[in-house]
């Protein structure tokens, strides 16, 4: 009966069925211990106090489910076929389909306002902002391998640059956008200098602190930033000087084209602005990867000492990564300010940095498509779950854990070479360094 | 020949780590067009000397003067790390191979030509918009990479990740990568370690060809077969001091060298055991 022959000269193994039942029984006992008070008992408020209800049937159902689940798991494990494990095959399929998935996504994103409603486009704007932030952070974390936990600082610098310049000097969005990016890049370099010699965990801690410093300064420098009240009445962007409002003036979009004004026009315009900015980020980072600078970033992630021995100026290379990553953060920040027409320090807390970093890690370090997919899943997904607000974070957390178990290197792992004599062959993620900062 | 300044002059080089003296008052010269070998028992301070020459350590005292073929003299001990390869044209390999494992063989060689393809950061950024002479530079770089791939016999593996190559091929690739920086002095830290006899022979041939192309070599090696066959000049270190210096034949017959290797009459008070580990 037993599938396992007794070990030579040792104790004999119990038959397989007995072992499975014993193991599953143990799981059921643990489940009972855990859930007895959580599910089995329930307090109800009555007119004069509380009344205890026993829900034995529900408890029994959970315990039986755990028992059955354990039996199924053990049986499957014993009869698992040899060969390439499942996640690996899925990974290969994803990599293979990558080209088409990317094209489909691009077309779907470009035509979103044609088929999506107002709510859909609003969500699209939000997702696209995070796609852009993710692509910006990928330059620092994915390519250069520098773990940055304070990316939101550059987002904030961009947002406040636009907010202050537009409300104080009445500069337009398109004039201010490059300035905001430039200021964020300068802050990126300022942050870069002190952390040049730090690696890994230490780098992460210092960048996290930098993000917090920016936020605390924004809260407390009331005379300049408006403090916790933030800055209101930030001008909306214009299309070649055409405003989006219902005033009927000749310099509004609706009046110029002789159509009725609707709020959707502005939302669609904002959507295409962020779509264009995101595409710019993508184009620049894809292009940089194939240039010496991007290659030096990746080499830095692989081995900093070897880079130095080859005459690459490690300081300058790291600073350009920080600066360019920060610049795109600044662009996204300026867009955020103009979309909300309001900024306050609350929008730039550590949670935002963590979310963007989660998108980058989930997407796969250095993968453009992966980051876009991850942003859609994380931001779009949490929008979908808005109705189940209580469980949103739970689903989110479980999803992340499952992802990291199945695909520890992100949705799209592996690396495409930046140059090749023949055909470009995907490099397995196992060979690619993750960077230690 | 003798009136010409040596390519590399090491003068009174001393390197201390805390209380430990890894290299003490070492002086030797590496002449242009020659293969100079630095040998010695484990812990003799060979890798420390290399790390001083290539800018990874700043010597406690002493001077390292490099004379480039164009006559420019550079004090290596005061150059910033990346300038050693870029300005002084001294390239190196590592005892434990340091390739960019996740990048392809070709990419490894392209990274080595970074400074030729991107002389300034501004130029590097302008290349994003297709400005500058980046394209022609890239073509030259690919040709040079192809030349070295051919030289080390890895042309057919150019698009494979470097980390997937067999050990011997990784050693050769690291040498090719260093050569792609266009050095006047190539420093090799135990290039024959872990190679089988046939691979060692191929390595010797490769090093002779590199010398023939006009690049001088400085090499640390334990494989005496390789050292005696290809070196023009051998420097022997023991406990951080030079104990012998001359042609391979002279060194081989030097009683002090024999004593150091066989451990005869060795009553030294301090053992710089940590020197190699620190290096």
């Amino acid at each position: 009966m037993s599938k396992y022959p007794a070990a030579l000269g040792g104790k004999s193994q119990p038959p397989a069925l007995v072992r499975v039942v014993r193991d599953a029984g143990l799981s059921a006992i643990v489940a009972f211990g855990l859930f007895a008070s959580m599910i089995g008992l329930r307090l109800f408020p009555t007119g004069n106090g509380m009344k205890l209800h026993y829900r034995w049937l529900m408890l029994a159902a959970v315990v039986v489910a755990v028992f059955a689940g354990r039996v199924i798991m053990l049986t499957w494990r014993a009869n698992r076929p040899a060969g390439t494990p499942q996640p690996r095959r899925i990974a290969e399929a994803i990599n293979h389909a990558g080209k088409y998935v990317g094209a489909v996504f691009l077309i779907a994103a470009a035509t979103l306002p044609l088929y999506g409603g107002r709510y859909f486009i609003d969500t699209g704007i939000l997702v696209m902002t995070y796609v852009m932030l993710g692509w910006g952070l990928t330059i620092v974390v994915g390519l250069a391998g520098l773990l940055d936990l304070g990316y939101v600082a550059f987002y904030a610098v961009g947002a406040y640059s636009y907010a202050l310049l537009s409300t104080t000097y009445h500069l337009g969005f398109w004039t201010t956008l490059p300035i905001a990016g430039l200021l964020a890049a300068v802050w990126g370099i300022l942050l870069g200098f002190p952390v040049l010699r730090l690696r890994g965990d230490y780098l992460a801690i210092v960048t996290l602190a930098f993000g917090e410093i920016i936020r605390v300064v924004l809260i407390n420098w009331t005379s300049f930033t408006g403090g916790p009240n933030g800055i209101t009445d930030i001008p909306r962007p214009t299309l070649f000087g055409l405003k989006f409002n219902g005033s009927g003036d000749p310099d509004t979009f609706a009046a110029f084209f002789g159509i009725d004004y609707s709020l959707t026009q502005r939302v669609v315009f904002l959507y295409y602005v962020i779509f264009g900015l995101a595409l710019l980020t993508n184009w620049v980072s894809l292009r940089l990867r194939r240039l010496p600078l991007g290659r030096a970033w990746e080499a830095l992630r692989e081995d900093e000492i070897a880079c130095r021995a080859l005459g690459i100026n490690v300081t300058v290379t790291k600073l350009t990564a920080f600066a360019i990553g920060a610049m795109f953060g600044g662009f996204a920040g300026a867009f955020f300010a103009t979309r909300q027409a309001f900024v306050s320090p609350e929008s730039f807390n550590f949670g935002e940095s963590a979310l963007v970093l989660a998108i980058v890690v989930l997407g796969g370090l250095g993968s453009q498509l992966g980051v876009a997919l991850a942003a859609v899943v994380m931001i779009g997904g949490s929008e979908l779950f808005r109705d189940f607000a209580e469980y949103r974070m739970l689903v989110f957390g479980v999803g992340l854990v499952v992802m990291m178990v199945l695909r520890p290197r992100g949705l799209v792992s592996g690396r495409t070479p930046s140059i090749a004599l023949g055909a470009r062959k995907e490099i397995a993620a196992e060979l690619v360094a993750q960077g230690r900062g | 020949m003798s009136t010409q300044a040596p390519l590399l002059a090491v003068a009174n080089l001393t390197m201390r780590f805390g209380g430990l003296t890894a290299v003490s008052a070492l002086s030797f010269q590496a002449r242009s067009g020659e293969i100079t070998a630095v040998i010695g028992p484990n812990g003799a301070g060979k890798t420390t000397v290399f790390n001083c020459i290539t800018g990874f350590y700043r010597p406690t005292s002493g001077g390292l003067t490099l004379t480039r073929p164009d006559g420019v003299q550079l004090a290596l001990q005061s150059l910033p790390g990346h300038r050693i390869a870029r300005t002084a044209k001294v390239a190196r390999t590592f005892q434990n191979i340091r390739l960019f494992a996740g990048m392809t063989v070709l990419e490894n060689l392209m990274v080595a030509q970074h400074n030729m393809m991107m002389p300034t950061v501004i130029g590097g950024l302008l290349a994003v918009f297709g400005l500058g002479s980046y394209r022609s530079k890239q073509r030259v770089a690919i040709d040079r990479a192809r030349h070295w791939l051919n030289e080390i016999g890895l042309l057919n593996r150019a698009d494979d990740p470097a980390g997937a190559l067999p050990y011997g091929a990784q050693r050769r690739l690291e040498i090719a990568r260093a050569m792609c920086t266009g050095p006047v002095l190539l420093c090799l830290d135990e290039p024959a370690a872990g190679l089988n006899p046939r691979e060692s022979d191929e390595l010797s041939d490769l090093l002779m060809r590199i010398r023939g192309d006009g690049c001088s070599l400085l090499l640390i090696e334990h494989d005496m077969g390789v050292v005696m066959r290809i070196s023009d000049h051998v420097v022997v270190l023991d406990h951080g001091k030079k104990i012998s210096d001359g042609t391979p034949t002279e060194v081989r017959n030097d009683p002090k060298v024999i004593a150091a290797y066989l451990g005869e009459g060795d009553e030294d008070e301090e053992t710089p055991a940590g020197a190699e580990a620190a290096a």
Side-chain angles (χ1 to χ4, degrees):
Chain A
M1 178 183 161
S2 169
K3 272 198 344 208
Y4 306 96
L8 280 175
K11 282 171 280 181
S12 63
Q13 292 260 15
L17 186 65
V18 175
R19 280 193 327 123
V20 167
V21 169
R22 192 190 290 164
D23 194 320
L26 211 62
S27 305
I29 291 169
V30 172
F32 178 81
L34 270 177
F35 295 120
S37 56
M38 282 166 65
I39 292 175
L41 307 177
R42 177 136 195 210
L43 283 173
F44 278 105
T46 57
N48 48 354
M50 306 289 258
K51 197 171 180 311
L52 191 63
H53 275 268
Y54 299 97
R55 300 193 292 185
W56 296 128
L57 206 63
M58 199 182 270
L59 179 64
V62 169
V63 171
V64 169
V66 167
F67 183 86
R70 186 71 186 159
V71 168
I72 291 170
M73 193 173 138
L74 288 173
T75 319
W76 178 74
R77 207 181 264 175
N79 302 315
R80 177 162 44 185
T84 318
Q86 188 76 11
R88 193 64 204 265
R89 265 183 285 150
I90 298 172
E92 275 159 17
I94 291 180
N95 286 344
H96 193 70
K99 264 183 283 181
Y100 310 103
V101 174
V104 167
F105 257 81
L106 190 64
I107 292 167
T111 55
L112 179 79
L114 296 180
Y115 58 81
R118 169 76 204 280
Y119 171 73
F120 228 76
I121 302 171
D122 263 332
T123 312
I125 293 176
L126 192 67
V127 170
M128 216 41 104
T129 312
Y130 281 96
V131 169
M132 178 167 176
L133 284 172
W135 279 341
L137 186 60
T138 295
I139 295 176
V140 185
V141 181
L143 291 184
L146 303 160
L147 184 54
D148 186 351
L149 284 183
Y151 193 60
V152 78
F154 310 123
Y155 192 42
V157 168
Y160 271 83
S161 299
Y162 174 62
L164 288 169
L165 287 171
S166 64
T167 53
T168 322
Y169 299 106
H170 306 289
L171 295 176
F173 176 71
W174 297 106
T175 327
T176 322
L177 186 68
I179 303 175
L182 210 65
L183 284 173
V186 169
W187 279 102
I189 293 174
L190 286 181
L191 163 71
F193 263 113
V195 302
L196 275 172
R197 310 177 65 127
L198 302 180
R199 324 177 114 256
D201 311 348
Y202 303 96
L203 178 71
I205 295 287
V206 176
T207 50
L208 188 154
F210 184 76
E212 286 300 291
I213 287 170
I214 294 267
R215 193 174 63 87
V216 170
V217 167
L218 290 179
I219 292 177
N220 290 296
W221 196 358
T222 320
S223 59
F224 185 59
T225 64
N229 298 329
I231 300 170
T232 50
D233 294 328
I234 299 169
R236 301 287 193 171
T238 54
L239 176 68
F240 298 110
L242 296 176
K243 294 188 187 109
F244 289 86
N245 61 44
S247 65
D249 293 340
D251 65 343
T252 62
F253 180 80
F256 186 82
F257 287 101
I259 49 173
D260 289 336
Y261 171 74
S262 85
L263 196 59
T264 316
Q265 289 163 3
R266 190 173 73 199
V267 178
V268 170
F269 173 62
L270 280 173
Y271 177 77
Y272 279 116
V273 169
I274 188 65
F275 184 55
L277 285 174
L279 283 187
L280 176 77
T281 313
N282 187 28
W283 179 75
V284 169
S285 37
L286 279 182
R287 185 120 178 90
L288 274 171
R289 253 203 88 210
R290 299 192 173 180
L291 291 173
L293 186 59
R295 230 173 266 140
W297 289 340
E298 291 202 80
L300 203 63
R301 176 193 68 204
E302 296 283 329
D303 195 326
E304 191 176 324
I305 288 175
C307 278
R308 224 177 101 187
L310 294 173
I312 292 174
N313 190 335
V314 174
T315 308
V316 169
T317 310
K318 274 190 186 176
L319 287 182
T320 48
F322 271 122
I324 291 176
M327 182 182 75
F328 289 118
F331 286 158
F335 174 81
F336 175 79
T338 195
R339 174 178 111 100
Q340 303 277 324
F342 166 72
V343 289
S344 80
E346 256 169 62
S347 313
F348 308 107
N349 52 29
F350 171 66
E352 292 294 299
S353 286
L355 186 58
V356 178
L357 187 66
I359 289 174
V360 172
V361 172
L362 189 65
L365 291 175
S367 155
Q368 303 284 312
L369 176 64
V371 168
L373 286 177
V376 169
V377 170
M378 303 253 306
I379 308 298
S382 63
E383 276 298 313
L384 281 183
F385 280 101
R386 194 169 279 286
D387 297 339
F388 316 94
E390 302 167 60
Y391 302 107
R392 190 150 69 139
M393 275 302 155
L394 184 73
V395 173
F396 202 65
V398 170
L400 273 184
V401 169
V402 169
M403 265 304 300
M404 285 298 113
V405 169
L406 290 181
R407 301 206 31 83
R409 298 292 294 258
L411 279 170
V412 182
S413 55
R415 176 179 174 273
T416 319
S418 63
I419 191 168
L421 290 182
R424 283 171 215 268
K425 287 179 270 189
E426 194 78 11
I427 297 171
E430 288 77 20
L431 286 171
V432 182
Q434 284 169 308
R436 301 195 304 115
Chain B
M1 187 76 189
S2 58
T3 53
Q4 201 186 334
L7 180 67
L8 175 72
V10 177
N12 274 316
L13 179 74
T14 300
M15 182 76 213
R16 284 194 201 96
F17 299 99
L20 179 92
T21 307
V23 178
S24 102
L26 173 70
S27 301
F28 71 91
Q29 295 183 341
R31 282 181 289 276
S32 187
E34 288 192 354
I35 296 180
T36 307
V38 179
I39 62 169
N42 279 331
K46 306 180 296 289
T47 301
T48 307
V49 173
F50 255 47
N51 283 341
C52 289
I53 294 172
T54 50
F56 282 87
Y57 292 157
R58 201 144 288 232
T60 315
S61 65
L64 298 151
T65 313
L66 186 106
T67 311
R68 278 199 323 219
D70 55 8
V72 177
Q73 289 206 326
L74 296 153
L76 296 185
Q77 74 276 13
S78 53
L79 281 183
H82 67 275
R83 286 266 157 207
I84 303 265
R86 191 173 180 171
T87 315
K89 301 271 171 211
V90 176
R92 75 168 291 179
T93 65
F94 295 86
Q95 195 171 351
N96 39 358
I97 304 173
R98 282 183 172 274
L99 288 169
F100 306 122
M103 303 175 88
T104 65
V105 171
L106 178 64
E107 281 179 310
N108 269 272
L109 300 186
M110 296 300 276
V111 171
Q113 302 180 66
H114 178 82
N115 288 325
M116 293 170 222
M117 291 165 72
M118 190 185 117
T120 63
V121 178
I122 303 295
L125 290 174
L126 286 179
V128 173
F129 307 105
L131 301 172
S133 55
Y134 161 70
R135 266 173 202 289
S136 60
K137 282 181 191 151
Q138 165 149 310
R139 221 168 297 128
V140 173
I142 291 177
D143 282 343
R144 189 199 284 257
R146 204 191 285 268
H147 165 77
W148 280 108
L149 285 176
N150 205 18
E151 201 70 15
I152 60 171
L154 286 179
L155 194 55
N156 58 340
R157 303 210 59 177
D159 298 330
D160 288 337
L165 293 180
Y167 185 81
Q170 292 197 9
R171 282 249 173 244
R172 294 204 302 278
L173 177 59
E174 208 189 12
I175 295 173
R177 188 180 67 177
M179 286 310 293
C180 275
T181 64
V184 295
L185 179 66
L186 175 64
C187 301
L188 301 166
D189 198 346
E190 297 201 21
L195 300 187
N196 64 32
R198 214 196 75 217
E199 287 174 323
S200 293
D201 285 348
E202 285 171 6
L203 178 81
S204 304
D205 292 344
L206 176 66
L207 298 186
M208 296 298 267
R209 282 204 302 278
I210 289 173
R211 188 186 68 165
D213 289 345
C215 179
S216 314
L217 288 96
L218 187 64
L219 110 132
I220 291 179
E221 190 47 72
H222 276 303
D223 185 332
M224 283 307 140
V226 173
V227 171
M228 293 302 159
R229 190 159 61 238
I230 67 172
S231 308
D232 300 299
H233 173 201
V234 180
V235 176
V236 190
L237 297 190
D238 190 25
H239 292 186
K241 298 189 183 80
K242 184 167 83 172
I243 56 170
S244 186
D245 188 345
T247 64
T249 329
E250 285 166 12
V251 165
R252 193 167 17 196
N253 299 322
D254 189 331
K256 273 187 287 187
V257 176
I258 298 165
Y261 269 89
L262 299 180
E264 257 176 56
D266 195 16
E267 299 145 333
D268 241 315
E269 55 297 328
E270 50 173 0
T271 316
E276 189 78 4

